[in-house]
Amino acid sequence: MFQKKVLILTSTASFLAQFNHRNIEILQNMNYEVHVAANFTHYGTLSGKSNQKFIDWLYKKGVVVHDVSIRRGLGNLLDNLNALLKINKLMKQEQFSFVHVHTPIASVLGRVMAFKNRVPVIYTAHGFHFSKTSAKVNWLIFPIEWSLSYITQQLIVINQEDYLFARRHLHAKSIDYQAGVGINFNLVKTTTLAEHIEANKALRDKFNLPDDVRIIVSVGELSARKNHRIVIESLKKIERTDVHYVIAGKGHLLSYLKSLAGELDIESQVHFINYTTAIRRLNLAADVAILPSLREGLSRAGLEAIRDGAYLLGSDIRGIKDYIVNDNVGKTFDPHDSEALAKLLIQTIDEPRHKLNQQSIDNLMIFDRKNIDRQMRAVYKKIGIENAN
């Protein structure tokens, strides 16, 4: 029996693992044979164990896996050229009904080959590299995005700033807004003070910290974009030895961040967890969560911190201020200003945990995964019908 086929294409396996579990299941429930293509060798921010666990899950679900040599950024030109040829071969062989691309390099390679092979394409832009607050050099990417928009059947953007920009300046056949990739926001209603106390104690025990310390948590890879540096500098400015900063993530700036804490003489107050899947436990332990990024699409880490009951201090940028809807949820700050963040820390670090009011919860339910899945099913159904016609 003939079965329709669809390809999901991303640069790294880690991105595929974080954002596409439910899309795969939605497509399979719509009777598509799902193929995924990503770099499973240089797999990104996952641990090796988590990468293998995800591969096992894909095979268990009957997903067809293709390892392609896409490299982030400009990466290795030869690797990306080989990936382009493999994607082209895949599209010729498999005759996909449509392709869903994510991440900048994968979206370029995938859309070019989809156009060549006359395959409809959906592109989810997880935050354009160019924005009101991005560096001017990032705008060099805009002409590429503008050109490729002419061959994009469906563009999905995940924050309001990108949506308004796309409507004004890009030319995809359809442009839709979705509030991120969706998380289980209903968990906000079940979070208890007892859970916070228990998780906080477990984290203090892990690092042998006294009972009376206050804990700041950040989740995100150790990169310049995630900007953990500004939090370390702010921690020095508040001059409180009872406040500790826990960072969950892996990345090339680990040595630099450790050295910075040492130079500021607060190395005993800064702790690194590396990659972890126990994000909810970490957020439950936090007295305050900080998301200091310089650029985001729509950060899942901040939403999960709010959902898990942590008060969020987040950068005043698109993709974060979208969900810091009022002071009940959190506050925003200039991610370049350590003094401003230090002042917010002084104001909030000793505040007891509180539940979100109903108005805040109602405003934030747009980010719930059931809402996102409903929108995604509609997109897949629409492009399937258009392709059939």
Side-chain angles (χ1 to χ4, degrees):
M1 179 181 175
F2 172 76
Q3 187 174 18
K4 298 175 293 183
K5 300 177 182 180
V6 65
L7 174 66
I8 298 177
L9 174 65
T10 74
S11 293
T12 61
S14 63
F15 198 92
L16 191 68
Q18 291 177 67
F19 300 119
N20 284 278
H21 277 87
R22 299 196 318 281
N23 286 352
I24 290 168
E25 292 174 335
I26 289 169
L27 286 163
Q28 289 182 326
N29 289 336
M30 297 174 74
N31 296 317
Y32 284 100
E33 176 182 288
V34 180
H35 293 236
V36 297
N39 195 328
F40 287 89
T41 304
H42 300 280
Y43 42 78
T45 57
L46 289 175
S47 65
K49 182 178 179 181
S50 294
N51 182 58
Q52 187 56 53
K53 184 177 179 181
F54 178 57
I55 293 172
D56 293 343
W57 180 86
L58 289 170
Y59 282 118
K60 183 179 179 181
K61 295 291 289 186
V63 177
V64 184
V65 177
H66 305 277
D67 188 8
V68 294
S69 58
I70 300 173
R71 301 297 292 268
R72 292 178 67 178
L74 292 177
N76 183 302
L77 188 59
L78 183 59
D79 281 345
N80 285 332
L81 179 59
N82 288 333
L84 187 73
L85 296 174
K86 186 165 185 177
I87 293 165
N88 183 47
K89 184 178 179 181
L90 264 179
M91 291 188 184
K92 287 183 181 300
Q93 287 180 344
E94 301 296 342
Q95 298 293 301
F96 295 114
S97 296
F98 61 88
V99 180
H100 190 174
V101 298
H102 306 256
T103 66
I105 296 297
S107 79
V108 172
L109 303 183
R111 282 185 285 178
V112 169
M113 288 298 100
F115 178 69
K116 179 179 181 294
N117 290 282
R118 297 184 178 181
V119 181
V121 63
I122 302 169
Y123 170 37
T124 297
H126 295 265
F128 295 132
H129 272 49
F130 43 87
S131 68
K132 292 178 181 177
T133 56
S134 67
K136 290 181 180 179
V137 68
N138 287 23
W139 282 90
L140 294 174
I141 300 169
F142 170 68
I144 300 172
E145 195 64 66
W146 179 83
S147 300
L148 291 175
S149 71
Y150 283 99
I151 60 172
T152 304
Q153 278 67 33
Q154 173 72 61
L155 172 62
I156 299 170
V157 292
I158 63 172
N159 61 68
Q160 288 291 344
E161 183 180 316
D162 281 356
Y163 178 65
L164 293 174
F165 181 88
R167 295 290 297 180
R168 289 171 184 157
H169 302 291
L170 300 181
H171 304 279
K173 183 177 179 181
S174 296
I175 301 173
D176 290 331
Y177 163 72
Q178 289 183 359
V181 296
I183 65 169
N184 184 4
F185 215 88
N186 278 307
L187 287 173
V188 72
K189 301 170 185 174
T190 67
T191 302
T192 65
L193 183 59
E195 285 181 304
H196 165 60
I197 293 170
E198 191 273 328
N200 185 274
K201 182 181 184 304
L203 193 61
R204 283 187 280 108
D205 289 346
K206 178 181 178 67
F207 293 110
N208 297 312
L209 304 178
D211 293 344
D212 60 347
V213 301
R214 308 296 288 176
I215 294 176
I216 304 165
V217 163
S218 288
V219 175
E221 65 180 0
L222 309 182
S223 65
R225 180 172 70 89
K226 293 297 184 178
N227 197 33
H228 302 296
R229 171 190 63 82
I230 206 76
V231 186
I232 295 173
E233 292 175 356
S234 299
L235 183 59
K236 174 64 176 179
K237 284 180 165 59
I238 66 173
E239 297 182 332
R240 282 184 53 173
T241 57
D242 63 328
V243 178
H244 287 249
Y245 182 34
V246 178
I247 308 172
K250 58 183 278 190
H252 65 282
L253 290 188
L254 176 61
S255 296
Y256 164 74
L257 293 171
K258 285 183 174 180
S259 296
L260 177 61
E263 290 170 12
L264 297 176
D265 199 26
I266 55 171
E267 65 269 32
S268 64
Q269 294 174 248
V270 182
H271 313 277
F272 298 88
I273 288 185
N274 208 324
Y275 177 83
T276 179
T277 58
I279 300 301
R280 180 165 169 80
R281 288 280 297 170
L282 190 62
N283 288 332
L284 285 170
D287 294 297
V288 169
I290 301 182
L291 188 57
S293 305
L294 298 174
R295 191 185 76 249
E296 289 288 353
L298 191 126
S299 173
R300 183 172 174 172
L303 274 171
E304 289 176 333
I306 294 168
R307 177 201 65 189
D308 298 333
Y311 195 75
L312 180 65
L313 304 181
S315 297
D316 187 20
I317 60 171
R318 58 118 207 240
I320 297 178
K321 63 183 180 182
D322 288 52
Y323 50 71
I324 300 183
V325 293
N326 54 43
D327 288 350
N328 180 240
V329 172
K331 295 180 184 292
T332 60
F333 62 93
D334 180 346
H336 301 281
D337 189 346
S338 60
E339 191 68 42
L341 178 55
K343 289 178 180 177
L344 282 181
L345 275 173
I346 291 168
Q347 294 170 17
T348 58
I349 193 64
D350 292 313
E351 290 295 312
R353 274 208 163 200
H354 68 277
K355 284 189 172 292
L356 295 182
N357 59 41
Q358 191 58 50
Q359 180 182 356
S360 297
I361 293 173
D362 291 344
N363 289 338
L364 290 165
M365 287 307 293
I366 187 176
F367 302 101
D368 185 70
R369 65 188 183 189
K370 289 183 179 179
N371 179 56
I372 303 303
D373 289 353
R374 183 166 53 250
Q375 291 177 281
M376 204 65 249
R377 275 191 294 270
V379 167
Y380 287 148
K381 182 178 180 181
K382 180 178 73 171
I383 201 165
I385 292 171
E386 289 176 352
N387 184 47
N389 291 339

